[in-house]
Amino acid sequence: MAAPPIDAQPVLGVALNDNGLPNRCEAYFEVKTRPAGGVASEQEPISVYLTVRRHGPMDDIATPKLEFSDLGRCGERIIEASVMPRLIQPIRSFIASGGASAWG
């Protein structure tokens, strides 16, 4: 049975070396669009995803809970400093302008 591709969106991943987190932390940014009239036409036409992750072994059973809080705070900072001003607002401006270039 053949499986036709349904998605080929670009994803940008960056190492988080200077955010107060160990070098094994990464953030991934993804913008996904949905075709009008498709199966998901009742949903928003554009979604922006941020994934923050940490690789490596955990030293203690309490580590996941502590790391989850750290990664959550890091994600909030990234949303405020990068996702909103550099992704959401330009996309919103582009859509509000009726598709005219928001970048000049």
Side-chain angles (χ1 to χ4, degrees), residues 29-31 48 82-92:
F29 305 88
E30 182 176 10
V31 178
V48 177
S82 297
V83 173
M84 290 303 293
R86 295 182 181 166
L87 281 173
I88 302 292
Q89 291 171 350
I91 291 170
R92 183 174 184 237

Side-chain angles (χ1 to χ4, degrees), residues 20-98:
L21 297 172
N23 289 341
R24 60 184 198 204
C25 294
E26 303 168 342
Y28 293 87
F29 305 88
E30 182 176 10
V31 178
K32 294 182 74 97
T33 59
R34 291 177 193 80
V39 203
S41 62
E42 296 175 11
Q43 299 176 357
E44 293 295 324
I46 297 176
S47 297
V48 177
Y49 296 94
L50 169 65
T51 303
V52 182
R53 34 192 272 184
R54 183 175 295 167
H55 297 279
M58 296 191 189
D59 304 327
D60 186 296
I61 192 72
T63 301
K65 188 174 183 179
L66 297 171
E67 288 192 6
F68 185 78
S69 296
D70 289 346
L71 291 172
R73 284 190 293 276
C74 179
E76 288 175 357
R77 287 192 304 269
I78 292 170
I79 288 170
E80 291 173 7
S82 297
V83 173
M84 290 303 293
R86 295 182 181 166
L87 281 173
I88 302 292
Q89 291 171 350
I91 291 170
R92 183 174 184 237
S93 295
F94 181 80
I95 292 170
S97 70

